[in-house]
Amino acid sequence: MDISGRHEERGEYLMVAAAVHAIVGTTRLRCVEGMGFAVSHEQPTLSAVTEIVAAVLDDLPTPPEGPVVAERGEFYEEPKWMVEQYLETEFKYVESIAERETVQAAHHAAYAARKLLL
């Protein structure tokens, strides 16, 4: 998953989160099962970020069987165990090439959706 728009623009916030439910191997993304999107106008605090992430996970067509994966900056580099408490699901930071590719796909989707909304 990825979030675009943590900065204030024209006096407002517009965070767009995208989640990619994918099947991955160790070195590549094999198949995209679905995507979800969520929008927030809240200031990007840890609480607001975890709320938008929960919303984007709820928007996926089917819940992921594995962990939610994100880059460390998405949750202000909080420890994995703390993020799991907020999300109430298995979570991990990017470790493999395939996970990085999946997060990149989510990044492109979130960025494009945000640009469409602006």
Side-chain angles (χ1 to χ4, degrees):
M1 60 83 23
D2 188 77
I3 301 171
S4 181
R6 291 172 185 252
H7 54 279
E8 190 174 354
E9 194 166 309
R10 290 181 243 146
E12 296 181 327
Y13 289 98
L14 176 61
M15 288 191 295
V16 177
V20 175
H21 181 183
I23 297 171
V24 300
T26 54
T27 60
R28 68 183 173 96
L29 190 152
R30 295 189 184 274
C31 176
V32 173
E33 297 284 311
M35 295 181 80
F37 292 90
V39 175
S40 173
H41 294 279
E42 299 295 319
Q43 192 171 8
T45 62
L46 181 59
S47 177
V49 167
T50 56
E51 286 176 19
I52 194 173
V53 171
V56 78
L57 296 177
D58 286 343
D59 192 54
L60 286 170
T62 56
E65 295 172 17
V68 172
V69 180
E71 292 183 1
R72 289 194 170 273
E74 293 299 346
F75 296 99
Y76 306 103
E77 302 201 21
E78 291 291 346
K80 176 185 154 254
W81 62 267
M82 183 179 288
V83 176
E84 282 182 331
Q85 285 181 337
Y86 277 104
L87 298 181
E88 299 178 358
T89 189
E90 186 182 357
F91 172 79
K92 68 186 247 182
Y93 288 115
V94 172
E95 294 175 355
S96 71
I97 295 168
E99 291 169 351
R100 180 152 312 282
E101 285 184 357
T102 306
V103 170
Q104 281 289 43
H107 169 77
H108 290 295
Y111 182 78
R114 184 173 185 277
K115 289 301 245 182
L116 285 171
L117 293 171
L118 286 177

